[in-house]
Amino acid sequence: MNILVINAGSSSLKFQLYDMTDESVLAKGKVERIGMESAILSYEPAGKPEVREVREILEHTTAIRKVLDILVHKEFGVLKSASEIQAVGHRVVHGGESFSSSVLIGDEVKREIRRLFDLAPLHNPAHMLGIQAVEANMPDIPQAVVFDTAFHQTMPPFAYLYPIPMVLYKKHKIRRYGFHGTSHAYVSERAAAFLGKPLKELKLVTCHIGNGASCAAVMEGRSVDTSMGLTPLEGLMMGTRSGDIDPAIVPFAMSKEDLTLAEVNSMLNKHSGLLAISGLSSDMREITEAREAGDRNAALAFDMYEYRLRKFIGSYAAAMNGIDAIVFTAGVGENSAALRAAVCRNLSFLGVKLDDAANEARSSEERAITTPDSPVASLVIPTNEELVIARDTHQLILNRDHVV
Ligand code: ADP
């Protein structure tokens, strides 16, 4: 079965085409600057040269049509016809309290995703555009949605509620949801396989640290806490997001700096984090280089980022009454040996014994960066959210066909 995985943003659309007989990627790519005359389609077919086209793509329906066109292109294509795609799986950021697993799309699911627009105004409307664009181009194809929040629906109420008046939860569903769930679930499973132990017997802290960053406490394979909350702003310090701050800063800064709600929202989401403290960049590569070259603000940004991450790991060890392993994933987690070293060295009290050579080794493989006798293992596990979406979609189709 061939499955097309789509991650639709407001002006971009990423795609990967999987052959589920061996889970190989037949092609992948993205369309950027949707809505502009000079939109960019980048396309990487397996075993063939990459293609990059600049052309007018004004909306998502056209973007999907261009993707289908190139997938069946005489020269660059990997399929003879679009009918060789049997299903489409979409990433959807917010599933609220309604979805604790992936589902096939029907009218009720679409209504619910729309009802959740309020909770994820930057993401869910864009995902809906992607879903509708597929419907317009492939009216009969089954589509599934895989939610970033679903894995964290196992959090207990004492972890997901905020200590604020209950009316806000009851009326408006203001609570902690968590994100990056697909990634936390995937790396947890891989960590258990790597350690050769059943997931049911493990207490893990998974750290998904990319541009956005979150960590999760995963006990017996279930998320029991995670650092992001109602929105992806809560928790860890990130590239441009503040993470946790005193909420009283919001009205205080608004009055002192004469900011509107939109301005303070933008400040905390787009102009904070590594970027604000370093005054240089939101990119951990540049921060690390500048720090090594003696830039004090970059060093401060790095230290704050590491300190806040380490405190979360420590708090999750308390939340689960111990940990068996820490898992690093996503852009920073997979690539920044400096950050991993700083975190692990300062967690020796928990039983983390860093293996410097293993940590420094350049590899894209799953690996341990602690010594074999380390009581708590630290692992680097490359994430693969697209594969999870393809697998969930595949399983939903197989189950549906089984029921029919
Ligand atoms: P996103 O959250 O957008 O999916 P990624 O998971 O791809 O992001 O992570 C992107 C981030 O990873 C970059 O901003 C960069 O800071 C970081 N990164 C990538 N490579 C390295 C590296 N070699 N060293 C340190 N940081 C890196």
Side-chain angles (χ1 to χ4, degrees), residues 1 396-404:
M1 187 187 295
L396 285 164
I397 301 289
L398 293 181
N399 292 346
R400 179 201 65 165
D401 292 347
H402 185 66
V403 170
V404 172

Side-chain angles (χ1 to χ4, degrees), residues 14 180 208-213 274 282-286 288 330-333 335-337 362 385:
K14 293 186 194 144
H180 296 139
H208 177 109
I209 28 184
N211 282 320
L274 287 176
S282 62
D283 190 308
M284 185 51 93
R285 274 166 296 206
E286 290 180 40
T288 314
V332 179
N335 297 300
S336 179
R362 292 203 162 268
E385 290 158 288

Side-chain angles (χ1 to χ4, degrees), residues 15-266:
F15 64 95
Q16 284 202 19
L17 180 66
Y18 280 88
D19 174 353
M20 294 311 286
T21 51
D22 59 358
E23 296 189 335
S24 59
V25 177
L26 298 176
K28 63 179 177 180
K30 58 185 173 202
V31 185
E32 292 165 286
R33 298 156 61 96
I34 298 173
M36 302 208 186
E37 281 172 18
S38 56
I40 303 164
L41 168 66
S42 333
Y43 172 68
E44 295 175 43
K48 296 183 186 182
E50 293 179 25
V51 178
R52 190 170 182 276
E53 287 180 2
V54 179
R55 53 169 69 218
E56 181 179 276
I57 299 180
L58 294 182
E59 24 81 84
H60 287 67
T61 306
T62 319
I64 291 285
R65 199 171 67 241
K66 295 291 173 213
V67 170
L68 295 175
D69 285 351
I70 199 134
L71 287 172
V72 302
H73 190 276
K74 268 203 193 107
E75 197 180 338
F76 317 119
V78 291
L79 301 173
K80 288 199 182 69
S81 136
S83 64
E84 289 172 41
I85 302 171
Q86 277 89 19
V88 176
H90 293 266
R91 174 196 183 210
V92 171
V93 162
H94 219 307
E97 288 189 322
S98 315
F99 300 105
S100 54
S101 59
S102 306
V103 288
L104 285 171
I105 296 181
D107 289 342
E108 183 47 36
V109 170
K110 282 193 281 187
R111 265 196 295 278
E112 196 53 37
I113 294 172
R114 281 201 191 90
R115 273 197 280 269
L116 293 165
F117 277 8
D118 263 2
L119 287 178
L122 299 177
H123 292 100
N124 276 26
H127 302 319
M128 189 50 85
L129 289 175
I131 292 166
Q132 288 165 337
V134 171
E135 280 174 351
N137 284 281
M138 312 163 95
D140 298 322
I141 198 154
Q143 300 193 71
V145 278
V146 178
F147 300 96
D148 273 24
T149 48
F151 181 59
H152 302 301
Q153 278 296 299
T154 48
M155 283 193 287
F158 60 75
Y160 73 65
L161 286 174
Y162 291 107
I164 56 176
M166 280 300 269
V167 65
L168 293 171
Y169 171 58
K170 290 193 175 137
K171 268 175 80 180
H172 306 293
K173 296 288 171 206
I174 295 180
R175 51 157 282 182
R176 311 185 59 252
Y177 291 95
F179 298 89
H180 296 139
T182 319
S183 178
H184 289 295
Y186 175 78
V187 299
S188 300
E189 274 177 29
R190 294 304 314 157
F194 185 90
L195 296 168
K197 293 199 176 142
L199 195 47
K200 278 247 156 231
E201 291 174 14
L202 289 171
K203 295 173 182 176
L204 305 171
V205 178
T206 51
C207 308
H208 177 109
I209 28 184
N211 282 320
S214 68
C215 48
V218 182
M219 195 154 138
E220 299 173 3
R222 292 153 64 90
S223 171
V224 294
D225 205 346
T226 190
S227 59
M228 285 179 169
L230 175 73
T231 76
L233 183 58
E234 189 179 339
L236 300 173
M237 175 171 165
M238 310 180 210
T240 62
R241 290 178 225 159
S242 63
D244 289 346
I245 59 164
D246 181 345
I249 291 171
V250 172
F252 194 79
M254 284 174 77
S255 85
K256 291 286 177 198
E257 288 285 309
D258 200 18
L259 299 174
T260 63
L261 266 179
E263 283 166 343
V264 82
N265 205 21
S266 163

